[in-house]
Amino acid sequence: MNPLLPEPPRPWLSLYPPGMPRALPAPQRSLDALFTDAAARYRDRPFLTFLRRRTSYGEAAALIGRAAAGFRRLGVGHDTRVALCLPNSPGAVLCYFAVLRAGGTVVNLNPLAAEQQIIGQIGDSGAEVAVTVDLQPMFGRIFGALRRTRLRHVVVCRMAQMLPFPQSLAFRIRERARLAALPDDERVCAFATLGADADAGDVAPAPHPSGVAVIQYTGGTTADPKGVLLSHANLCANVAQLRAWFTRAEPGAERFLAVLPFFHCFGMTAVMNLAVALGGELVILPRFRPVETLRTIERRRVTILVGVPALFHALTECPACTAAALASLKVCVSGGDSLPEALARRFVALTGVPLAEGYGLTECGPVVTCSNPLEGIERPGSCGVPLPGTDVAIMAAEAPHGVLPPGEIGEICVRGPQVMLGYWQRPEATREAFRDGWLHTGDLGRLDRDGFLYFVNRQPEVIAVRGYKVYARAVEEAIRQHPAVAEVAVVGVPDPARGEVPKACIVLRAGTTLAAEGLRVFLADKVSPIEMPRIVEFRASLPKSAFGKVLKHELGIGARSQPNPDTGRRQ
C-alpha cells in the first residue's frame, strides 16, 4: 500500500440499517457448492420456470450432475474453458453449473453478437468446448468455429426440448426454417445425450475459491472487450453482499424475473446466482417484450425485478403497466447504466414500488454500490453507498492520483472481495488497472460527505471542448427534461476548431416534433455554451447491446444529420 494514500473514511457505515454487516467473511466455497447447498435445502421447490414448464431444485441437481459427468467425458477439467453461447433458457443455467461442477471455467458469449466477435472471443479465451442452441445463425457460428479456433466439441441444447407441450410442437413448426439439423460429426452432440450413460459421480474435485470460475468479456461499448477473470470467491462474495443488502428478501420464498441475459455479468450475479443463494425461483423469459413481461410478473407473482434503465423505461411507457400488474414486487433494482431521476420518480409514482439504483462494472463481479429505498438508504441522483466489505474512493485522474475530498469529481476506485483477479492474457492492462491496491475503474464520479456515490461519466465519454471538460451525462440529463424526448445519447465528435463538440442523438416520443433550434432554446438555461450540442441528430432508435446499453461508439462516427422521424425535417 502506498503510504501516501491513507485509509479512506467510511462514512456510509453509520448509515447501514441495524443488523447490516459492515464486512463479510471471505468466501470459502465455490459456486457449485452454492448450488449444491440450495438443492439440498430446497429440493422440492421450483427452480426454473420457462414458459409454464417447471424444474425443481432436485430435478435440476440431477440434470446438472449428469451433464457435468458428460462434460468430463469430453475432457473438461481444471482450467478447461467452455464457451456458453446461449439465450436465457433452462439450458443456460444447467450448463453454467454443470461446467463449474466438472471443474471447468465458463466463458460467457453474447449469442446475438456478430460472428467475428464470437470467433474472436472463442479464440482469445482458448475455449475447447462450446455450448449453443439448435437455432440459426447461432449454431452455424459456433460450428464454424470448430475449424477456426481450438474448439474440439460443440454441445447443442435443443430449444423445443426445453418447452412444455404443446408449445414445443408449435415451436418446431413456427421455427422450422431456423432449426439447425445436427451434422453427422463426432465433435457435435446434443445436450440431452451428453451425460445419458455417464457416471454422475465422476466429477472433479471441488475447485478452490481462488480459482477462476468465469471469463467475462467487458461490454465493448467504448473499447475493445477484455476477458475479466472472476474467481469463485469474487462471485460468491458479490452474491453474499447482495443477499445481505436486500434485507426483505426471504430465503425460499422469492421469484426472480430472469429477463436480463445470463451471459452478462449483471444478469449472471444479481439474478441467477442470487436466486440460487436465496433458494429462489427463476422465471425465465428468452427476450424482453414489455406486455409479455408485465403479464409474466402478474401471473407468476414475481417478487424481485432486476433490470436496466431501458427496461424500466419501456415498462413505464407501456399502457399495460399498472400498480396492479406489479403488485407482487418487493425489490426492484436498476443497474448497468445511468438511471435518469425522472424515470425513477415516474416508476415509483406509477407502481408504488421503490426503485434502487446501483453502480458496478464487470471487473467487480459486477456490483459495487447500491441504494436501498426499502431501508431508507437512498439519495436521489446517487448510486447508493458501497456494499458491505467494499471501499470506494475518488482519486485524481492525473498523477499522483491522491484521494479527493467529498464533492470533487475524479476517478472511481474500488477495493473489495468482488474485485477481479485481472484480465485474461493482458498483464499490462492488469497492471494499469491495479495501483496501490485499488482497482482504477476509468469511470468518473464523486462522493458526498455521507459516502453516497454519484456517477458522472465513463471516462471515454468526457468531451474535451477547447480544453474544457464536458460530461455527456450532464447534457443528457438536461435534454431528457424536454417532454418530447424519449431517449438521448450525447457523444463527442471531432471538430477542427474546438477539438471536440457535443453531438446529441435523440429519439422522440410518438406523436411529438422537435427541431434542433427549439431544443437549443430549451437548453439555454440548463447547460453552458460549451455543453450545448453543436450537432443534433434525430433517430428512430439508438443502437444498443443485448444488455440494453447504448453503443455510443456507433453514434460518434460522422456528424451527419438525420431526418426527424415525425416531421421529416433535417436538423
Side-chain angles (χ1 to χ4, degrees):
M1 186 72 183
N2 188 335
L4 299 178
L5 295 179
E7 284 295 299
R10 301 178 178 89
W12 56 82
L13 295 181
S14 65
L15 302 175
Y16 279 11
M20 178 72 67
R22 272 51 179 169
L24 296 168
Q28 298 299 321
R29 59 179 183 167
S30 66
L31 287 167
D32 176 54
L34 188 76
F35 175 79
T36 300
D37 292 348
R41 186 172 182 182
Y42 304 104
R43 184 171 187 82
D44 297 324
R45 175 171 166 73
F47 175 39
L48 307 174
T49 298
F50 187 59
L51 303 178
R52 294 191 174 91
R53 180 169 183 172
R54 290 188 182 180
T55 303
S56 70
Y57 271 90
E59 292 168 334
L63 291 169
I64 289 169
R66 289 196 294 271
F71 279 120
R72 292 277 287 171
R73 290 179 60 174
L74 294 181
V76 175
H78 180 64
D79 277 348
T80 305
R81 273 84 67 194
V82 179
L84 301 186
C85 188
L86 296 162
N88 275 20
S89 60
V93 180
L94 298 174
C95 289
Y96 176 87
F97 286 103
V99 169
L100 296 175
R101 179 168 298 183
T105 298
V106 168
V107 180
N108 279 322
L109 302 180
N110 179 356
L112 301 180
E115 181 176 9
Q116 185 175 357
Q117 293 174 310
I118 289 176
I119 297 294
Q121 290 177 11
I122 290 175
D124 180 72
S125 66
E128 299 178 44
V129 178
V131 186
T132 190
V133 292
D134 61 338
L135 287 176
Q136 300 289 12
M138 291 182 215
F139 172 77
R141 292 167 179 164
I142 298 301
F143 184 68
L146 279 170
R147 60 180 180 274
R148 298 172 61 183
T149 67
R150 293 175 55 188
L151 276 186
R152 296 182 289 104
H153 297 285
V154 174
V155 177
V156 183
C157 298
R158 296 187 184 274
M159 286 295 297
Q161 292 180 350
M162 292 185 266
L163 301 173
F165 185 83
Q167 286 96 327
S168 57
L169 178 61
F171 179 85
R172 289 188 178 96
I173 296 172
R174 185 177 67 252
E175 302 291 344
R176 61 182 178 274
R178 296 177 59 209
L179 289 175
L182 301 194
D184 184 15
D185 189 318
E186 63 180 8
R187 299 172 298 174
V188 179
C189 69
F191 175 75
T193 61
L194 178 63
D197 58 348
D199 180 6
D202 178 23
V203 295
H208 193 275
S210 63
V212 178
V214 173
I215 297 179
Q216 186 76 40
Y217 281 89
T218 55
T221 58
T222 55
D224 291 334
K226 296 187 287 289
V228 174
L229 300 175
L230 295 169
S231 69
H232 288 269
N234 291 152
L235 295 172
C236 285
N238 211 206
V239 167
Q241 290 169 322
L242 293 173
R243 183 174 177 178
W245 194 251
F246 298 115
T247 57
R248 297 194 183 184
E250 182 182 352
E254 307 300 344
R255 296 186 182 93
F256 288 69
L257 184 73
V259 68
L260 283 183
F262 295 139
F263 60 77
H264 192 281
C265 200
F266 193 28
M268 175 183 69
T269 294
V271 180
M272 180 172 65
N273 289 345
L274 180 58
V276 170
L278 286 166
E281 178 181 353
L282 285 168
V283 181
I284 301 172
L285 291 178
R287 63 180 65 85
F288 174 68
R289 292 171 175 164
V291 173
E292 180 186 8
T293 299
L294 289 165
R295 289 174 179 169
T296 300
I297 292 171
E298 186 172 17
R299 184 175 62 247
R300 292 297 310 137
R301 307 296 296 166
V302 169
T303 61
I304 297 180
L305 175 60
V306 181
V308 294
L311 179 148
F312 290 103
H313 171 78
L315 290 183
T316 57
E317 293 290 312
C318 181
C321 185
T322 64
L326 303 177
S328 61
L329 291 175
K330 294 164 56 177
V331 176
C332 293
V333 183
S334 176
D337 209 345
S338 300
L339 177 68
E341 292 183 47
L343 173 58
R345 290 194 300 267
R346 189 162 69 247
F347 183 83
V348 174
L350 178 64
T351 66
V353 180
L355 182 56
E357 180 179 7
Y359 164 78
L361 61 161
T362 303
E363 288 86 341
C364 292
V367 189
V368 175
T369 72
C370 193
S371 64
N372 197 335
L374 291 173
E375 300 286 352
I377 306 176
E378 63 173 335
R379 192 156 296 176
S382 84
C383 305
V385 298
L387 296 179
T390 302
D391 281 330
V392 173
I394 304 300
M395 298 191 188
E398 295 81 19
H401 308 292
V403 177
L404 297 175
E408 291 199 22
I409 295 175
E411 185 177 13
I412 301 172
C413 298
V414 182
R415 291 189 310 196
Q418 71 271 51
V419 174
M420 68 171 181
L421 302 178
Y423 294 112
W424 169 250
Q425 294 186 330
R426 297 211 184 184
E428 291 186 8
T430 300
R431 284 192 293 271
E432 176 64 22
F434 288 101
R435 297 196 293 274
D436 300 317
W438 292 86
L439 172 70
H440 286 245
T441 68
D443 295 338
L444 297 181
R446 62 182 175 86
L447 289 171
D448 66 16
R449 293 189 181 279
D450 295 323
F452 284 85
L453 176 67
Y454 293 79
F455 176 81
V456 175
N457 257 115
R458 304 290 179 189
Q459 276 275 28
E461 295 180 32
V462 179
I463 305 167
V465 182
R466 295 189 186 275
Y468 293 93
K469 293 179 180 179
V470 171
Y471 300 113
R473 188 187 182 194
V475 182
E476 290 166 353
E477 287 290 348
I479 295 174
R480 285 192 184 102
Q481 297 178 42
H482 195 289
V485 173
E487 294 183 272
V488 60
V490 172
V491 296
V493 295
D495 182 86
R498 299 171 180 85
E500 285 186 300
V501 294
K503 170 184 173 182
C505 301
I506 297 172
V507 177
L508 296 178
R509 296 185 185 277
T512 65
T513 61
L514 181 63
E517 286 309 311
L519 175 67
R520 293 189 181 104
V521 170
F522 175 80
L523 293 175
D525 62 347
K526 299 176 180 65
V527 301
S528 68
I530 65 168
E531 293 175 313
M532 183 68 71
R534 301 282 298 183
I535 302 163
V536 178
E537 180 178 296
F538 294 95
R539 306 170 62 101
S541 63
L542 298 179
K544 296 177 182 175
S545 69
F547 188 54
K549 186 179 293 187
V550 176
L551 301 172
K552 288 197 170 184
H553 64 279
E554 294 187 12
L555 298 173
I557 300 174
R560 69 184 186 282
S561 180
Q562 293 290 334
N564 182 319
D566 291 300
T567 67
R569 298 194 193 103
R570 287 194 175 272
Q571 309 300 337

